[in-house]
Amino acid sequence: MNADDIRQSYLDFMVERGHVVIPRAPLIPRDDPTTLFTGSGMQPLLPYLLGADHPAGHRLTDSQTCLRAQDIDEVGDNRHTTFFEMLGNWSLGDYFKAEQLPQIWEFLTVRVGLDPKRLYVTCFSGDPAHGIPKDTESAKIWTRLFTEAGISAEQVDLDTEEHGGEVGSQGARISFYGKKNWWCRGGSADNMPVGEPGGPDSEMFYLYPQIEHDVAYGAHCHPNCDCGRYIEIGNSVFMEYGRTETGFDPLPRRNVDFGGGLARIAAASIDTPDVFRINLLWPIVAKLEELSGRSYDTDTVAMRVIADHLRGATFLAVDGVRPSNKEQGYVMRRLIRRAVRYAFDLGLQQNFFAQIVPTVSGMYTEDYPEVAQRAEAVVGVLVKEEKAFRRTLNKGIRQLRGYRDGVGGDELFVLYDTFGFPVELSTEEARRQGIPLNDGWQAGFEDKMAEQRARSQAATRMKVG
């Protein structure tokens, strides 16, 4: 199954079980000033997870486009992307663990056809300090599902990723973790304000035995190890507790919130740990190979970065974002300029966005019609930004190479103000070139930016006067 098949099969599967398909929310959150982008499938549904009634009912499903700018530095490995789709299903006060875990197991092992012998799961180990018990209920359900498939289901208590790295999973099928398997908006039970809901979650991982464990991530491997041997493909959150003045009480309405990474599930279905080989990314890579005359096998990182960043920038443009120096527009500009910089390494020193963006748009026209409807305008936006940055790219790189003794706030401001290099791109490029970053460069750069803002405000006042 390719990613498009899996997306449609998932929605059909959930509709058969009484869910209503809801449309994707834009990448720019509505009525949520706390975050720049929609970064998860549950984010647009937060009011309903907190207790409001959804107009479509108590069982919902979708495939939500997401963007996580905080993952930008991870792009280049085999599994991280800034833009991704999250398959989701929700139960708002309806079914709970006994229904959720078997149905997602059935979808992955029967509908998608993943090998159950390569599935591993994690559960919440409990929080004695707050009186929250170990999630033995989820573990019992998983034990039954594995046993019915003829798979032994030993358990191990690991508590933290660090401890997991020290002792390993010891062949267990079900691993218990503490904070890693607790969900709330604050990240941990200690940070939850009174009235905030939260609960344990149960993650699913797919094992790639062909990946050797990297001891840089710990002496031994375990499901939450970052070496890439285990890759998370889904997470069921069971929101069942509310923070009170005295501790935690059961919520009157328990919710299920499931999120599954479409790209990672699609990669597992073709038995590759490399998400860039699925049908929603590989056509971009193939086009880059054609344009550059280079091979993905030799220029892997550059092609991964360009493919991810242009796909993310395309959807940002579809949802109305335009490159700028503020907020969402700044992130979009950074994605575009980072893509141009990596294209430089491929020998693509001429404008090429006009040949790549239609490839991106063409992959989504059927499932997201708005992409086709706005395709021409999107190409115009991205090509304009590409051309603007290319005019100063070579000069900026030469300027940076002249700072061999070190780069500080003053130099970074020149690169930003004169050559259009976002500060993150400049520092990344300095590391690539082996140019040291001076102590205190952040403060120096911010001082220069503050001076520029003050000059701008003074000029504005003079103009108005």
Side-chain angles (χ1 to χ4, degrees), residues 7-159:
R7 183 198 297 116
Q8 190 57 55
S9 179
Y10 175 78
L11 297 176
D12 293 342
F13 181 85
M14 289 301 165
V15 168
E16 291 166 11
R17 284 151 185 78
H19 295 73
V20 175
V21 178
I22 56 176
R24 79 173 184 99
L27 287 176
I28 309 306
R30 299 189 185 104
D31 305 320
D32 184 1
T34 64
T35 182
L36 289 179
F37 302 105
T38 300
S40 66
M42 59 76 60
Q43 192 174 324
L45 292 170
L46 193 55
Y48 309 105
L49 291 168
L50 295 177
D53 291 326
H54 195 283
H58 298 299
R59 295 188 178 201
L60 310 173
T61 188
D62 73 357
S63 184
Q64 175 62 47
T65 53
C66 303
L67 194 138
R68 292 182 183 173
Q70 62 267 34
D71 288 342
I72 193 169
D73 293 323
E74 303 294 331
V75 178
D77 67 14
N78 65 332
R79 61 197 181 277
H80 283 96
T81 58
T82 58
F83 175 87
F84 58 96
E85 283 183 75
M86 188 72 77
L87 303 177
N89 64 268
W90 294 270
S91 165
L92 305 177
D94 193 346
Y95 61 82
F96 208 51
K97 298 176 184 178
E99 294 81 8
Q100 169 58 21
L101 298 181
Q103 76 178 0
I104 200 61
W105 167 273
E106 180 183 351
F107 173 72
L108 291 173
T109 62
V110 178
R111 289 292 179 93
V112 179
L114 298 188
D115 183 356
K117 294 185 179 66
R118 291 168 63 180
L119 285 173
Y120 290 77
V121 300
T122 64
C123 298
F124 182 56
S125 61
D127 186 348
H130 293 104
I132 303 171
K134 185 176 183 179
D135 187 11
T136 56
E137 181 183 358
S138 291
K140 287 179 181 177
I141 296 169
W142 285 124
T143 299
R144 175 177 61 81
L145 292 169
F146 281 117
T147 302
E148 290 173 353
I151 302 168
S152 60
E154 292 83 1
Q155 301 179 14
V156 64
D157 283 291
L158 297 178
D159 188 37

Side-chain angles (χ1 to χ4, degrees), residues 200-211:
D201 62 52
S202 185
E203 298 173 317
M204 305 178 74
F205 294 81
Y206 201 64
L207 171 67
Y208 289 95
Q210 64 268 42
I211 301 293

